[in-house]
Amino acid sequence: MDISSYLSNVRTKRPLVHSITNYVSVGDCADIIESSGGAPIMAQAIEEMEELVLKADALYINIGTLSSAVLPSMFSAVSLAAQNNISAVLDPVGAGATEYRTETALKLLAQGEFALVRGNISEIRALFGFRGRTRGVSASEEDLVQESDLDSLGTMARDFARERNCIIGISGSTDIIASSSRICFVRNGHSIMPRLTGTGCMLSALCAVFLAANPLDSFEAAAAAFCMMGLCGEIAAKELKEGEGPASWRIRFLDAVARLTPEELEKGARYEMR
Amino acid sequence: MDISSYLSNVRTKRPLVHSITNYVSVGDCADIIESSGGAPIMAQAIEEMEELVLKADALYINIGTLSSAVLPSMFSAVSLAAQNNISAVLDPVGAGATEYRTETALKLLAQGEFALVRGNISEIRALFGFRGRTRGVSASEEDLVQESDLDSLGTMARDFARERNCIIGISGSTDIIASSSRICFVRNGHSIMPRLTGTGCMLSALCAVFLAANPLDSFEAAAAAFCMMGLCGEIAAKELKEGEGPASWRIRFLDAVARLTPEELEKGARYEMR
Amino acid sequence: MDISSYLSNVRTKRPLVHSITNYVSVGDCADIIESSGGAPIMAQAIEEMEELVLKADALYINIGTLSSAVLPSMFSAVSLAAQNNISAVLDPVGAGATEYRTETALKLLAQGEFALVRGNISEIRALFGFRGRTRGVSASEEDLVQESDLDSLGTMARDFARERNCIIGISGSTDIIASSSRICFVRNGHSIMPRLTGTGCMLSALCAVFLAANPLDSFEAAAAAFCMMGLCGEIAAKELKEGEGPASWRIRFLDAVARLTPEELEKGARYEMR
């Protein structure tokens, strides 16, 4: 794929991403949308859902701090996005950890037409009928993607993608992105990244930006976003000075997202299309 | 104006600012209130509104993630502030972007007696009867303040200030602050600032701190806050090292807010009173 | 005490801490839980309280932005924790500042069986029948702990601990941790720390991590957490470069939390057991 063009489109179009997300990493999500070249709007009042969804180039739904108060807005937003052909991204944070989250994520999937569902392997498994063992909101250690599992996991993801007619993105040491017909493995990233709260939420937000700016090929757009996330994570890790750790990494990471050029993305992206 | 005295008063009095604000930039708002020399309290429960407003030296209302659940508290707080002569600041985030926001901001204006309304040009236009084209929560590009428009915009802001009997603050490449009889243009600031989420919210919070500590001249207090915001933005931008971007800027900016002396503000402020 | 073992246990066990906390410092709380070696989950929906509390190794309740909407979840969570012998930590932010907060904190105390209540001296006094003068959410200046008051404050804290059958942690220039039979004074820390929003909330979250990983001696676990907080604060302050202030401190502090070794904690902790 011409991966650089996906980032160029983000930078040129400055797509508006409407997010209904959790209050833990909401600031980080706004930051990555803005830094990457998009324009964020975070809102949850049912009274303004229609106006905001219709203005947006993509919708991002994240169930990280789900509450019944915000559910009507989420359902309304995904319906409106489906009716108006606006790309929607679902981050099913903690699916598998509680029935409430698993069921809510499944209801959202049933109600809308998501372009992409992005989660860790536990969350994705929980949604697609495999018994996951989600512990908290991070991937269970038993569920970390192993190199030897990649083929079968890629096939599983493609099957899910067919079943739901959407792209499936699974983050791990190797990321897996699958559409109904294609599979991509992304090998960018750094071991510090799972040690931070909010990296998964930021990745999903970045995917929403890329899908918003690249409606013609959502699969490649999502793969490009995964590459950018991982590559900026590598750059940030390389820049860490003596004594610096995860909090400094997050700052350097967001800085890297802001300055990465399409050419640098092209050069640094490590992915394999199948 | 003796701009240094406005910051001195903040540092000496440590004014308490009660904020009802959005959950995206709420941490940044608490940080700037604390760093500048104020004491933040963020609360939204109707049960404690009266006690908190009566303790506060200023009230800050921001509609960035408005919801019907928090509206009664906002209305109660602005009424209490008006009855008790406590300076109130309104940041009408996204006014013009949705009817809900525009109408809620107008209702808040009708209910209370705000000392200051601070927004970008789109938001201010939306509230005062001009047809804005607010896109998301940032100023529309067509609405960016041009040098050649300054005179007419200044007059418009002064007319709004007269109509509502409050100070109007408009942020842009040149900021405009207007009371019913005076206009101030502020030329501090840096081009990186509009590229960050939450800078507008932080500016409004800083204005609340300055108004709280300087009740005798809210117009000059607001102008001083705009100068401090822009000047600290310049300082932070100057300190950015190779490879650093917006996320580093925010950290360096908040650090600069904490250490700026009244004398440095006096020396670095670039404003024009008319 | 063998303080290093308390941190070793955190790092080895990676305890899951379920938090219902305020939306101002929630990201910082997630960060410190993750950085110290724990696994954070932030959630508030009543529908998933039971599943989450039963999975958790500790529960952290913080009333910083209390609202009636979240109260049923808080009460349910503390009851479930009590029934299932899960360590619970209460941070009564702003107790004494409003009746609503004081009363809610007292109701939570009555409903649950907290292992630890951590606050500043104003908040602790408000809860235990002394007339406090809480101003906003920071300790009143009159209430700052003086060296000469330590003996009487230590005795007071121990009396509270007996009355409520829980550990009491009071942060100040010298911290006081008391159980029904023991008192510990901690002299780590740095003068920059009270100048930041969220340090108290982070300290309570860190205590929850330590209690979760060290259920056999909650008193020493809490004391170890106080030492670690203060020591990492000192390290971060020492690393501040020319021009850096509180915002940089917070980043360096979280980095220090992530990298501090049990041996460094042993060596740097300054505490006095009585």
Side-chain angles (χ1 to χ4, degrees), chain C residues 195-234:
Chain C
R195 288 176 50 207
L196 274 105
T197 303
T199 45
C201 305
M202 285 195 284
L203 171 54
S204 297
L206 188 64
C207 286
V209 175
F210 271 73
L211 268 67
N214 299 285
L216 295 183
D217 193 332
S218 297
F219 170 73
E220 290 199 354
F226 271 79
C227 289
M228 181 161 175
M229 181 83 193
L231 179 58
C232 290
E234 296 167 24

mmCIF file of all heavy atoms in Angstrom, chain C residues 195-234:
data_model
loop_
_atom_site.group_PDB
_atom_site.id
_atom_site.type_symbol
_atom_site.label_atom_id
_atom_site.label_comp_id
_atom_site.label_asym_id
_atom_site.label_seq_id
_atom_site.Cartn_x
_atom_site.Cartn_y
_atom_site.Cartn_z
ATOM 1 N N ARG C 195 1.904 21.885 45.793
ATOM 2 C CA ARG C 195 1.562 22.866 44.768
ATOM 3 C C ARG C 195 0.962 22.225 43.517
ATOM 4 O O ARG C 195 0.711 22.898 42.532
ATOM 5 C CB ARG C 195 2.804 23.683 44.389
ATOM 6 C CG ARG C 195 3.232 24.663 45.494
ATOM 7 C CD ARG C 195 4.511 25.378 45.117
ATOM 8 N NE ARG C 195 4.431 25.949 43.770
ATOM 9 C CZ ARG C 195 5.479 26.172 42.981
ATOM 10 N NH1 ARG C 195 6.692 25.878 43.404
ATOM 11 N NH2 ARG C 195 5.335 26.680 41.780
ATOM 12 N N LEU C 196 0.738 20.918 43.564
ATOM 13 C CA LEU C 196 0.149 20.226 42.420
ATOM 14 C C LEU C 196 -1.201 19.632 42.775
ATOM 15 O O LEU C 196 -1.356 19.002 43.824
ATOM 16 C CB LEU C 196 1.042 19.072 41.976
ATOM 17 C CG LEU C 196 2.146 19.438 41.013
ATOM 18 C CD1 LEU C 196 3.461 19.455 41.744
ATOM 19 C CD2 LEU C 196 2.153 18.500 39.841
ATOM 20 N N THR C 197 -2.131 19.788 41.855
ATOM 21 C CA THR C 197 -3.413 19.107 41.960
ATOM 22 C C THR C 197 -3.190 17.610 41.766
ATOM 23 O O THR C 197 -2.433 17.203 40.903
ATOM 24 C CB THR C 197 -4.333 19.613 40.830
ATOM 25 O OG1 THR C 197 -4.443 21.025 40.965
ATOM 26 C CG2 THR C 197 -5.699 18.976 40.932
ATOM 27 N N GLY C 198 -3.815 16.817 42.605
ATOM 28 C CA GLY C 198 -3.810 15.374 42.342
ATOM 29 C C GLY C 198 -2.756 14.586 43.089
ATOM 30 O O GLY C 198 -2.775 13.354 43.027
ATOM 31 N N THR C 199 -1.843 15.254 43.795
ATOM 32 C CA THR C 199 -0.828 14.450 44.489
ATOM 33 C C THR C 199 -1.460 13.631 45.615
ATOM 34 O O THR C 199 -1.085 12.483 45.830
ATOM 35 C CB THR C 199 0.316 15.309 45.075
ATOM 36 O OG1 THR C 199 -0.240 16.447 45.736
ATOM 37 C CG2 THR C 199 1.248 15.789 43.985
ATOM 38 N N GLY C 200 -2.416 14.215 46.316
ATOM 39 C CA GLY C 200 -3.098 13.466 47.368
ATOM 40 C C GLY C 200 -3.841 12.258 46.804
ATOM 41 O O GLY C 200 -3.762 11.153 47.349
ATOM 42 N N CYS C 201 -4.539 12.479 45.702
ATOM 43 C CA CYS C 201 -5.279 11.383 45.064
ATOM 44 C C CYS C 201 -4.319 10.279 44.626
ATOM 45 O O CYS C 201 -4.620 9.084 44.761
ATOM 46 C CB CYS C 201 -6.047 11.897 43.850
ATOM 47 S SG CYS C 201 -7.153 13.288 44.200
ATOM 48 N N MET C 202 -3.183 10.677 44.080
ATOM 49 C CA MET C 202 -2.193 9.677 43.644
ATOM 50 C C MET C 202 -1.649 8.904 44.834
ATOM 51 O O MET C 202 -1.446 7.686 44.749
ATOM 52 C CB MET C 202 -1.051 10.353 42.881
ATOM 53 C CG MET C 202 -1.434 10.770 41.469
ATOM 54 S SD MET C 202 0.019 11.154 40.432
ATOM 55 C CE MET C 202 0.468 12.767 41.052
ATOM 56 N N LEU C 203 -1.392 9.594 45.928
ATOM 57 C CA LEU C 203 -0.891 8.914 47.120
ATOM 58 C C LEU C 203 -1.896 7.864 47.604
ATOM 59 O O LEU C 203 -1.527 6.721 47.922
ATOM 60 C CB LEU C 203 -0.617 9.944 48.231
ATOM 61 C CG LEU C 203 -0.294 9.400 49.619
ATOM 62 C CD1 LEU C 203 0.869 8.417 49.592
ATOM 63 C CD2 LEU C 203 -0.003 10.545 50.583
ATOM 64 N N SER C 204 -3.158 8.227 47.647
ATOM 65 C CA SER C 204 -4.177 7.254 48.073
ATOM 66 C C SER C 204 -4.222 6.060 47.121
ATOM 67 O O SER C 204 -4.380 4.909 47.553
ATOM 68 C CB SER C 204 -5.552 7.927 48.133
ATOM 69 O OG SER C 204 -5.546 8.948 49.099
ATOM 70 N N ALA C 205 -4.092 6.331 45.835
ATOM 71 C CA ALA C 205 -4.098 5.241 44.855
ATOM 72 C C ALA C 205 -2.892 4.327 45.068
ATOM 73 O O ALA C 205 -2.996 3.092 44.986
ATOM 74 C CB ALA C 205 -4.098 5.812 43.433
ATOM 75 N N LEU C 206 -1.740 4.939 45.355
ATOM 76 C CA LEU C 206 -0.533 4.142 45.599
ATOM 77 C C LEU C 206 -0.704 3.291 46.865
ATOM 78 O O LEU C 206 -0.282 2.125 46.905
ATOM 79 C CB LEU C 206 0.678 5.074 45.734
ATOM 80 C CG LEU C 206 2.048 4.397 45.815
ATOM 81 C CD1 LEU C 206 2.368 3.639 44.523
ATOM 82 C CD2 LEU C 206 3.146 5.422 46.087
ATOM 83 N N CYS C 207 -1.322 3.860 47.874
ATOM 84 C CA CYS C 207 -1.619 3.082 49.085
ATOM 85 C C CYS C 207 -2.482 1.867 48.733
ATOM 86 O O CYS C 207 -2.252 0.761 49.243
ATOM 87 C CB CYS C 207 -2.347 3.951 50.110
ATOM 88 S SG CYS C 207 -1.292 5.156 50.936
ATOM 89 N N ALA C 208 -3.464 2.070 47.872
ATOM 90 C CA ALA C 208 -4.334 0.948 47.493
ATOM 91 C C ALA C 208 -3.528 -0.157 46.818
ATOM 92 O O ALA C 208 -3.747 -1.351 47.072
ATOM 93 C CB ALA C 208 -5.456 1.437 46.573
ATOM 94 N N VAL C 209 -2.587 0.227 45.981
ATOM 95 C CA VAL C 209 -1.726 -0.771 45.325
ATOM 96 C C VAL C 209 -0.928 -1.552 46.372
ATOM 97 O O VAL C 209 -0.855 -2.788 46.327
ATOM 98 C CB VAL C 209 -0.760 -0.099 44.326
ATOM 99 C CG1 VAL C 209 0.209 -1.112 43.744
ATOM 100 C CG2 VAL C 209 -1.521 0.611 43.218
ATOM 101 N N PHE C 210 -0.352 -0.818 47.313
ATOM 102 C CA PHE C 210 0.476 -1.478 48.333
ATOM 103 C C PHE C 210 -0.366 -2.375 49.242
ATOM 104 O O PHE C 210 0.064 -3.464 49.613
ATOM 105 C CB PHE C 210 1.247 -0.431 49.159
ATOM 106 C CG PHE C 210 2.581 -0.087 48.564
ATOM 107 C CD1 PHE C 210 2.684 0.687 47.423
ATOM 108 C CD2 PHE C 210 3.767 -0.564 49.137
ATOM 109 C CE1 PHE C 210 3.924 0.995 46.867
ATOM 110 C CE2 PHE C 210 5.020 -0.267 48.583
ATOM 111 C CZ PHE C 210 5.091 0.516 47.456
ATOM 112 N N LEU C 211 -1.541 -1.922 49.617
ATOM 113 C CA LEU C 211 -2.394 -2.756 50.452
ATOM 114 C C LEU C 211 -2.835 -4.008 49.692
ATOM 115 O O LEU C 211 -2.926 -5.094 50.272
ATOM 116 C CB LEU C 211 -3.613 -1.979 50.946
ATOM 117 C CG LEU C 211 -3.417 -1.298 52.310
ATOM 118 C CD1 LEU C 211 -2.404 -0.193 52.238
ATOM 119 C CD2 LEU C 211 -4.747 -0.776 52.852
ATOM 120 N N ALA C 212 -3.119 -3.839 48.417
ATOM 121 C CA ALA C 212 -3.563 -4.977 47.604
ATOM 122 C C ALA C 212 -2.496 -6.061 47.548
ATOM 123 O O ALA C 212 -2.796 -7.256 47.599
ATOM 124 C CB ALA C 212 -3.889 -4.497 46.189
ATOM 125 N N ALA C 213 -1.240 -5.633 47.452
ATOM 126 C CA ALA C 213 -0.158 -6.610 47.288
ATOM 127 C C ALA C 213 0.371 -7.129 48.618
ATOM 128 O O ALA C 213 1.144 -8.088 48.650
ATOM 129 C CB ALA C 213 0.981 -5.985 46.483
ATOM 130 N N ASN C 214 -0.049 -6.480 49.705
ATOM 131 C CA ASN C 214 0.491 -6.821 51.027
ATOM 132 C C ASN C 214 -0.625 -6.931 52.060
ATOM 133 O O ASN C 214 -0.679 -6.140 53.012
ATOM 134 C CB ASN C 214 1.499 -5.745 51.455
ATOM 135 C CG ASN C 214 2.686 -5.629 50.522
ATOM 136 O OD1 ASN C 214 3.577 -6.479 50.553
ATOM 137 N ND2 ASN C 214 2.685 -4.608 49.677
ATOM 138 N N PRO C 215 -1.493 -7.911 51.906
ATOM 139 C CA PRO C 215 -2.667 -7.965 52.786
ATOM 140 C C PRO C 215 -2.331 -8.338 54.230
ATOM 141 O O PRO C 215 -3.141 -8.104 55.119
ATOM 142 C CB PRO C 215 -3.552 -9.028 52.133
ATOM 143 C CG PRO C 215 -2.634 -9.845 51.287
ATOM 144 C CD PRO C 215 -1.526 -8.948 50.870
ATOM 145 N N LEU C 216 -1.130 -8.836 54.462
ATOM 146 C CA LEU C 216 -0.838 -9.310 55.819
ATOM 147 C C LEU C 216 -0.553 -8.187 56.803
ATOM 148 O O LEU C 216 -0.769 -8.330 57.997
ATOM 149 C CB LEU C 216 0.350 -10.287 55.795
ATOM 150 C CG LEU C 216 0.071 -11.584 55.044
ATOM 151 C CD1 LEU C 216 1.267 -12.520 55.141
ATOM 152 C CD2 LEU C 216 -1.187 -12.264 55.596
ATOM 153 N N ASP C 217 -0.034 -7.063 56.319
ATOM 154 C CA ASP C 217 0.226 -5.952 57.235
ATOM 155 C C ASP C 217 -0.098 -4.634 56.535
ATOM 156 O O ASP C 217 0.769 -3.986 55.948
ATOM 157 C CB ASP C 217 1.676 -5.977 57.732
ATOM 158 C CG ASP C 217 1.874 -5.039 58.928
ATOM 159 O OD1 ASP C 217 1.132 -4.037 59.031
ATOM 160 O OD2 ASP C 217 2.764 -5.313 59.752
ATOM 161 N N SER C 218 -1.353 -4.250 56.632
ATOM 162 C CA SER C 218 -1.817 -3.050 55.927
ATOM 163 C C SER C 218 -1.166 -1.792 56.483
ATOM 164 O O SER C 218 -0.934 -0.833 55.740
ATOM 165 C CB SER C 218 -3.339 -2.922 56.038
ATOM 166 O OG SER C 218 -3.954 -4.014 55.407
ATOM 167 N N PHE C 219 -0.873 -1.768 57.758
ATOM 168 C CA PHE C 219 -0.258 -0.593 58.361
ATOM 169 C C PHE C 219 1.120 -0.347 57.761
ATOM 170 O O PHE C 219 1.429 0.760 57.297
ATOM 171 C CB PHE C 219 -0.164 -0.785 59.878
ATOM 172 C CG PHE C 219 0.666 0.259 60.565
ATOM 173 C CD1 PHE C 219 0.179 1.548 60.726
ATOM 174 C CD2 PHE C 219 1.940 -0.044 61.037
ATOM 175 C CE1 PHE C 219 0.952 2.519 61.356
ATOM 176 C CE2 PHE C 219 2.706 0.928 61.660
ATOM 177 C CZ PHE C 219 2.215 2.209 61.814
ATOM 178 N N GLU C 220 1.939 -1.371 57.752
ATOM 179 C CA GLU C 220 3.281 -1.192 57.177
ATOM 180 C C GLU C 220 3.201 -0.964 55.669
ATOM 181 O O GLU C 220 3.996 -0.207 55.105
ATOM 182 C CB GLU C 220 4.157 -2.412 57.495
ATOM 183 C CG GLU C 220 4.514 -2.491 58.985
ATOM 184 C CD GLU C 220 5.718 -3.393 59.273
ATOM 185 O OE1 GLU C 220 6.222 -4.048 58.332
ATOM 186 O OE2 GLU C 220 6.160 -3.424 60.436
ATOM 187 N N ALA C 221 2.257 -1.618 55.015
ATOM 188 C CA ALA C 221 2.100 -1.412 53.576
ATOM 189 C C ALA C 221 1.773 0.055 53.284
ATOM 190 O O ALA C 221 2.332 0.660 52.356
ATOM 191 C CB ALA C 221 1.000 -2.318 53.032
ATOM 192 N N ALA C 222 0.868 0.633 54.073
ATOM 193 C CA ALA C 222 0.522 2.048 53.887
ATOM 194 C C ALA C 222 1.730 2.939 54.158
ATOM 195 O O ALA C 222 2.008 3.878 53.400
ATOM 196 C CB ALA C 222 -0.646 2.434 54.803
ATOM 197 N N ALA C 223 2.466 2.644 55.219
ATOM 198 C CA ALA C 223 3.649 3.436 55.530
ATOM 199 C C ALA C 223 4.671 3.362 54.394
ATOM 200 O O ALA C 223 5.294 4.367 54.022
ATOM 201 C CB ALA C 223 4.272 2.961 56.844
ATOM 202 N N ALA C 224 4.817 2.162 53.828
ATOM 203 C CA ALA C 224 5.749 1.998 52.706
ATOM 204 C C ALA C 224 5.310 2.827 51.501
ATOM 205 O O ALA C 224 6.133 3.444 50.806
ATOM 206 C CB ALA C 224 5.852 0.521 52.331
ATOM 207 N N ALA C 225 4.002 2.867 51.257
ATOM 208 C CA ALA C 225 3.491 3.665 50.134
ATOM 209 C C ALA C 225 3.754 5.155 50.358
ATOM 210 O O ALA C 225 4.150 5.870 49.433
ATOM 211 C CB ALA C 225 1.998 3.402 49.943
ATOM 212 N N PHE C 226 3.535 5.624 51.575
ATOM 213 C CA PHE C 226 3.840 7.030 51.882
ATOM 214 C C PHE C 226 5.323 7.326 51.649
ATOM 215 O O PHE C 226 5.681 8.369 51.097
ATOM 216 C CB PHE C 226 3.469 7.356 53.337
ATOM 217 C CG PHE C 226 2.059 7.823 53.551
ATOM 218 C CD1 PHE C 226 1.004 6.926 53.597
ATOM 219 C CD2 PHE C 226 1.765 9.177 53.722
ATOM 220 C CE1 PHE C 226 -0.311 7.348 53.810
ATOM 221 C CE2 PHE C 226 0.451 9.617 53.937
ATOM 222 C CZ PHE C 226 -0.579 8.705 53.982
ATOM 223 N N CYS C 227 6.186 6.425 52.085
ATOM 224 C CA CYS C 227 7.627 6.630 51.870
ATOM 225 C C CYS C 227 7.951 6.690 50.380
ATOM 226 O O CYS C 227 8.721 7.541 49.927
ATOM 227 C CB CYS C 227 8.427 5.489 52.511
ATOM 228 S SG CYS C 227 8.439 5.512 54.312
ATOM 229 N N MET C 228 7.363 5.769 49.623
ATOM 230 C CA MET C 228 7.646 5.728 48.186
ATOM 231 C C MET C 228 7.169 7.006 47.503
ATOM 232 O O MET C 228 7.868 7.573 46.661
ATOM 233 C CB MET C 228 6.971 4.519 47.545
ATOM 234 C CG MET C 228 7.249 4.428 46.050
ATOM 235 S SD MET C 228 6.933 2.755 45.419
ATOM 236 C CE MET C 228 7.197 3.031 43.646
ATOM 237 N N MET C 229 5.986 7.457 47.848
ATOM 238 C CA MET C 229 5.450 8.706 47.291
ATOM 239 C C MET C 229 6.424 9.855 47.547
ATOM 240 O O MET C 229 6.811 10.580 46.630
ATOM 241 C CB MET C 229 4.103 9.003 47.960
ATOM 242 C CG MET C 229 3.406 10.253 47.465
ATOM 243 S SD MET C 229 2.471 9.934 45.939
ATOM 244 C CE MET C 229 2.122 11.614 45.401
ATOM 245 N N GLY C 230 6.809 10.014 48.800
ATOM 246 C CA GLY C 230 7.677 11.126 49.157
ATOM 247 C C GLY C 230 9.054 11.011 48.529
ATOM 248 O O GLY C 230 9.611 11.996 48.021
ATOM 249 N N LEU C 231 9.593 9.799 48.536
ATOM 250 C CA LEU C 231 10.932 9.594 47.982
ATOM 251 C C LEU C 231 10.946 9.873 46.474
ATOM 252 O O LEU C 231 11.854 10.547 45.964
ATOM 253 C CB LEU C 231 11.387 8.157 48.277
ATOM 254 C CG LEU C 231 12.754 7.762 47.742
ATOM 255 C CD1 LEU C 231 13.857 8.671 48.272
ATOM 256 C CD2 LEU C 231 13.063 6.290 48.093
ATOM 257 N N CYS C 232 9.952 9.375 45.769
ATOM 258 C CA CYS C 232 9.882 9.643 44.325
ATOM 259 C C CYS C 232 9.671 11.135 44.079
ATOM 260 O O CYS C 232 10.179 11.674 43.090
ATOM 261 C CB CYS C 232 8.770 8.820 43.684
ATOM 262 S SG CYS C 232 9.169 7.056 43.644
ATOM 263 N N GLY C 233 8.962 11.793 44.979
ATOM 264 C CA GLY C 233 8.820 13.241 44.876
ATOM 265 C C GLY C 233 10.150 13.955 45.026
ATOM 266 O O GLY C 233 10.444 14.914 44.304
ATOM 267 N N GLU C 234 10.974 13.474 45.939
ATOM 268 C CA GLU C 234 12.312 14.062 46.113
ATOM 269 C C GLU C 234 13.174 13.832 44.876
ATOM 270 O O GLU C 234 13.878 14.734 44.411
ATOM 271 C CB GLU C 234 13.020 13.411 47.312
ATOM 272 C CG GLU C 234 12.354 13.658 48.652
ATOM 273 C CD GLU C 234 12.911 12.730 49.734
ATOM 274 O OE1 GLU C 234 14.049 12.237 49.601
ATOM 275 O OE2 GLU C 234 12.186 12.491 50.724
#
